[in-house]
Amino acid sequence: FENLNLGYYLVDSSVGALCGLGTTSEHIIINEKNSVPKVDKDIVYYDGNGNVIQNVDANNTFVGKTVYYQTTIEVGLGAEDYVLYDKMDNGLTYTEDSLTVKIGDTTLGEKDYSVEFNKDGYTFIITFIRELNDSDVIVVSYEAVLNKNAVTSGTDAQNPVPNKNTATLKYGDENEVSSVVKTY
């Protein structure tokens, strides 16, 4: 800001920080202490021992085959009220009881988050209850099966239409970030 009169100002940041300034000083420096969290959705391939060997943002498969999903959330400094919304196209069916939520090697449970399935058009909604630290990396894993409603073609071979799975992380007051993967 330049050429402001001395006085009282209310400053809001893009990640939801709010501060009031009452000053007669001619020079003020404000450093943002919050950061935007990151969300990354992947289709995962495992080896025979359950170790991840490849993460991709698109794949090809057949109706009846299982697709393994993983959403990674890097918690942002100062951000709070994390809610993960997962939405699959009609060509994918969530595999019941396949959902796991971890921070590092720790599997989270009902004291750490709540989950609602098939609500408001979403496959599931996870609301994090646990206090999150800015160094936390949350990994949400689950499976889905490509079903008979899957889109299997597009306008032509050069422009196939995917079956999408979208992860949207809402946090703070009204902020959100999303990531999409595609199965052909």
Side-chain angles (χ1 to χ4, degrees):
F1 302 100
E2 293 181 20
N3 301 320
L4 291 176
N5 294 326
L6 297 179
Y8 295 95
Y9 295 93
L10 191 60
V11 180
D12 188 11
S13 78
S14 62
V15 291
L18 188 66
C19 68
L21 301 174
T23 182
T24 56
S25 175
E26 293 184 19
H27 301 285
I28 288 285
I29 296 174
I30 300 173
N31 294 315
E32 176 66 72
K33 294 180 181 175
N34 295 318
S35 62
V36 175
K38 294 178 184 172
V39 64
D40 188 34
K41 179 92 170 180
D42 289 306
I43 297 168
V44 180
Y45 290 93
Y46 296 96
D47 66 11
N49 297 319
N51 300 310
V52 175
I53 56 173
Q54 185 179 22
N55 291 0
V56 297
D57 58 6
N59 73 336
N60 296 302
T61 193
F62 298 96
V63 170
K65 295 294 184 181
T66 298
V67 181
Y68 300 91
Y69 293 106
Q70 181 173 290
T71 302
T72 304
I73 302 167
E74 293 180 29
V75 176
L77 180 64
E80 51 189 30
D81 301 326
Y82 280 51
V83 181
L84 178 66
Y85 295 80
D86 193 277
K87 185 172 188 161
M88 289 190 256
D89 283 352
N90 290 334
L92 294 160
T93 303
Y94 169 76
T95 302
E96 192 172 330
D97 297 327
S98 67
L99 182 72
T100 61
V101 181
K102 291 184 172 188
I103 294 179
D105 292 332
T106 304
T107 301
L108 304 184
E110 61 185 46
K111 68 182 182 343
D112 302 307
Y113 69 91
S114 65
V115 62
E116 297 175 275
F117 292 95
N118 299 314
K119 182 178 180 187
D120 299 330
Y122 293 98
T123 308
F124 58 81
I125 301 170
I126 298 175
T127 302
F128 292 92
I129 301 166
R130 173 189 181 133
E131 186 173 326
L132 300 171
N133 300 312
D134 63 344
S135 61
D136 287 342
V137 176
I138 304 166
V139 178
V140 177
S141 303
Y142 66 93
E143 302 170 13
V145 174
L146 194 66
N147 65 43
K148 66 181 181 178
N149 298 319
V151 176
T152 57
S153 64
T155 55
D156 59 53
Q158 300 300 317
N159 298 301
V161 176
N163 298 277
K164 296 179 186 174
N165 186 330
T166 305
T168 301
L169 178 67
K170 296 186 180 183
Y171 62 96
D173 294 329
E174 296 178 21
N175 303 298
E176 66 180 57
V177 289
S178 295
S179 182
V180 180
V181 292
K182 301 170 184 177
T183 295
Y184 296 93

